[in-house]
Amino acid sequence: MSLGGSSPPPPDNTAQLKYAEISKQMYNDFKARYQPIVSNLISTVSDPNTIRNEAQQAGNLSGAGFDASMRATRMKLGDYGPVTADQNTYLTRIASLGHARAVASSENRARITGRDRQVQMLGSLAALGRGVQNNAVAGFSKGAGMENQRNRINQNLHTRAQQSDMQFVGQMAGLAVMGAIAA
């Protein structure tokens, strides 16, 4: 045993080296598996045409549904006899207003939902970019659940609005038929 002449034992960096190796593996795994997905999601989410296209599609579908309902209503009115020119003008105006309202409502809902989804996803992607992989995946699951719930609520609201529109048109058509019968 010598005093002061020997050097201290080398530090044990095994745990630090292992942690560094695992961190590198995780980063390489992230780059290989998730970075392409993240890049694709960011470009999709950031594209302003995405929301515009979704809103246009929602408006088209809503308008087509409303038009089909109006055709059915007009066919049903035919069972009560011919519709006068004044009744037809009135029904056309009511249908045009209802159609415009249904399309605008659907497009607005699609825009709001799209923007909410963009903010949610960009927030989740920001967490992924900072390397918080576990929290980001949990954020995606939570975001997907919230989005699913929001989509169901929006669908219910849309269905109720369409039912209300059709009820209104039906009432107006009934009044028009009653007016025709009374005349």
Side-chain angles (χ1 to χ4, degrees), residues 65-66 69-70 73 161-171:
F66 190 85
S69 299
M70 277 309 299
T73 300
Q162 281 185 325
Q163 289 171 346
S164 175
D165 290 344
M166 287 310 302
Q167 183 180 12
F168 178 72
V169 170
Q171 289 171 348

Side-chain angles (χ1 to χ4, degrees), residues 49-96:
N49 292 324
T50 301
I51 290 177
R52 188 177 307 120
N53 293 342
E54 288 174 358
Q56 185 176 9
Q57 183 180 14
N60 291 342
L61 291 173
S62 179
F66 190 85
D67 290 342
S69 299
M70 277 309 299
R71 281 192 299 275
T73 300
R74 286 186 183 272
M75 288 173 61
K76 187 67 175 167
L77 283 176
D79 293 346
Y80 297 105
V83 178
T84 67
D86 290 339
Q87 290 171 333
N88 192 36
T89 301
Y90 180 75
L91 286 173
T92 301
R93 182 170 182 215
I94 293 290
S96 295

Side-chain angles (χ1 to χ4, degrees), residues 3-183:
L3 298 173
S6 69
S7 60
D12 185 7
N13 295 333
T14 306
Q16 292 175 6
L17 294 174
K18 193 64 168 171
Y19 180 75
E21 180 184 335
I22 290 171
S23 295
K24 286 178 187 176
Q25 287 174 353
M26 286 176 62
Y27 178 71
N28 289 335
D29 184 54
F30 171 79
K31 279 186 6 182
R33 291 184 190 203
Y34 300 107
Q35 186 64 45
I37 296 169
V38 169
S39 297
N40 186 22
L41 283 173
I42 287 173
S43 65
T44 301
V45 168
S46 302
D47 185 6
N49 292 324
T50 301
I51 290 177
R52 188 177 307 120
N53 293 342
E54 288 174 358
Q56 185 176 9
Q57 183 180 14
N60 291 342
L61 291 173
S62 179
F66 190 85
D67 290 342
S69 299
M70 277 309 299
R71 281 192 299 275
T73 300
R74 286 186 183 272
M75 288 173 61
K76 187 67 175 167
L77 283 176
D79 293 346
Y80 297 105
V83 178
T84 67
D86 290 339
Q87 290 171 333
N88 192 36
T89 301
Y90 180 75
L91 286 173
T92 301
R93 182 170 182 215
I94 293 290
S96 295
L97 290 173
H99 182 273
R101 184 173 65 173
V103 168
S105 177
S106 294
E107 287 178 354
N108 286 338
R109 275 191 222 108
R111 280 187 198 97
I112 290 168
T113 302
R115 286 189 184 116
D116 287 349
R117 186 181 63 244
Q118 281 185 339
V119 168
Q120 179 83 30
M121 292 201 51
L122 287 174
S124 295
L125 292 173
L128 248 174
R130 288 189 306 264
V132 189
Q133 294 174 340
N134 293 335
N135 290 338
V137 171
F140 274 127
S141 297
K142 184 178 180 183
M146 288 169 43
E147 180 180 352
N148 189 27
Q149 182 180 13
R150 186 175 50 246
N151 286 339
R152 278 189 268 131
I153 290 169
N154 286 338
Q155 181 62 39
N156 288 339
L157 289 173
H158 177 69
T159 302
R160 288 183 195 149
Q162 281 185 325
Q163 289 171 346
S164 175
D165 290 344
M166 287 310 302
Q167 183 180 12
F168 178 72
V169 170
Q171 289 171 348
M172 292 300 120
L175 288 173
V177 169
M178 287 174 32
I181 292 172

